[in-house]
Amino acid sequence: MTPASERLLELANVGKHFGGVIALEGVSLHIRRGEIYGLIGPNGAGKTTLFNVVTGLYQLDSGSFDFDGQRYTRCKPHLLAQAGIARTFQNIRLFANMSALENIMVGRHVRTRTGIWGALTRHAAARAEERDIVQRARELLDYVGIDCAHQTLAKHLSYGEQRRLEIARALATEPKLLALDEPAAGMNATETVALKALLQKIRASGTTVLLIEHDVKLIMGLCDRVAVLDYGKKIAEGVPEEVRRDPAVIAAYLGDRTGGDA
């Protein structure tokens, strides 16, 4: 039993429906501070729905959602970002006509203090904060391995670089929980290996990671614990080797699935 003080995120009996379609039913899980937690399941299992509940895009219909010791109900994404949850999306959502550096600076503004008045008057404190934002953005570009591209427009970066830039922008918010929605999607083998090393580096720095990924090999080789959803219910949870051998998981992945993820 994990002590409450070690639980960064805890969901209890979470339910979500869309009209008559039940997307999540009675899902309970907790994510420990400092771990990489994987969420997998066949298409239509409810992974993305759960992810959107955690990051505030969807509001849960039943159950409870606690983050860092605080209960959240009907909370908007920007408030959860301020609380310490940052995310990326399955489909890249960068500002295509802004530079790599500017994209990260946008993410950093969730932690700024000078506000609109400072932006208008550009007083000394506002100028100092802007210099700090630029410096931190440069550091994050170096951290994710694309420091040479700071003036390159996001749309001109390679696919793998764009994925790394999204992660850097999320890290600019100083998250306690970094939630990644299929970050390896579309990557080749070399890029996936580099991504794995980056996520291990992020975890080593003290940031907790929640990872949705269809690349089961990556999940099993990277995550400390894994949960498996099927038809909106959690069917397994544990260390990767336990989950890999679970008969319910084997049946879910061998069964016929069609359509997209709920």
Side-chain angles (χ1 to χ4, degrees), residues 88-151:
T88 64
F89 292 84
Q90 181 178 349
N91 299 316
I92 293 174
R93 297 189 183 183
L94 294 170
F95 296 101
N97 291 310
M98 292 171 63
S99 71
L101 188 73
E102 290 168 336
N103 267 274
I104 299 177
M105 290 171 64
V106 169
R108 186 64 186 165
H109 279 287
V110 75
R111 299 297 174 201
T112 58
R113 295 181 177 84
T114 54
I116 295 175
W117 180 247
L120 291 174
T121 62
R122 293 189 55 78
H123 54 66
R127 294 196 302 273
E129 188 171 63
E130 185 172 336
R131 288 193 296 270
D132 289 343
I133 291 170
V134 173
Q135 178 61 32
R136 182 55 179 155
R138 288 180 177 274
E139 291 171 355
L140 285 168
L141 281 171
D142 180 62
Y143 184 82
V144 301
I146 54 172
D147 55 304
C148 61
H150 67 281
Q151 291 301 336

Side-chain angles (χ1 to χ4, degrees), residues 126-213:
R127 294 196 302 273
E129 188 171 63
E130 185 172 336
R131 288 193 296 270
D132 289 343
I133 291 170
V134 173
Q135 178 61 32
R136 182 55 179 155
R138 288 180 177 274
E139 291 171 355
L140 285 168
L141 281 171
D142 180 62
Y143 184 82
V144 301
I146 54 172
D147 55 304
C148 61
H150 67 281
Q151 291 301 336
T152 304
L153 296 183
K155 65 183 179 182
H156 292 153
L157 296 175
S158 70
Y159 183 83
E161 289 171 335
Q162 289 183 13
R163 286 289 186 189
R164 286 173 172 267
L165 179 56
E166 278 202 315
I167 292 173
R169 185 175 63 183
L171 289 173
T173 69
E174 298 181 5
K176 299 171 184 175
L177 177 68
L178 177 63
L180 305 176
D181 190 354
E182 297 198 34
M187 286 188 173
N188 60 38
T190 301
E191 291 170 333
T192 300
V193 169
L195 173 67
K196 180 179 178 180
L198 175 59
L199 296 184
Q200 289 171 327
K201 180 180 177 181
I202 291 170
R203 189 262 300 277
S205 73
T207 301
T208 305
V209 178
L210 168 62
L211 180 63
I212 291 181
E213 186 55 62

Side-chain angles (χ1 to χ4, degrees), residues 221-232:
L222 177 63
C223 296
D224 299 292
R225 291 187 302 130
V226 178
V228 185
L229 296 183
D230 192 26
Y231 291 118

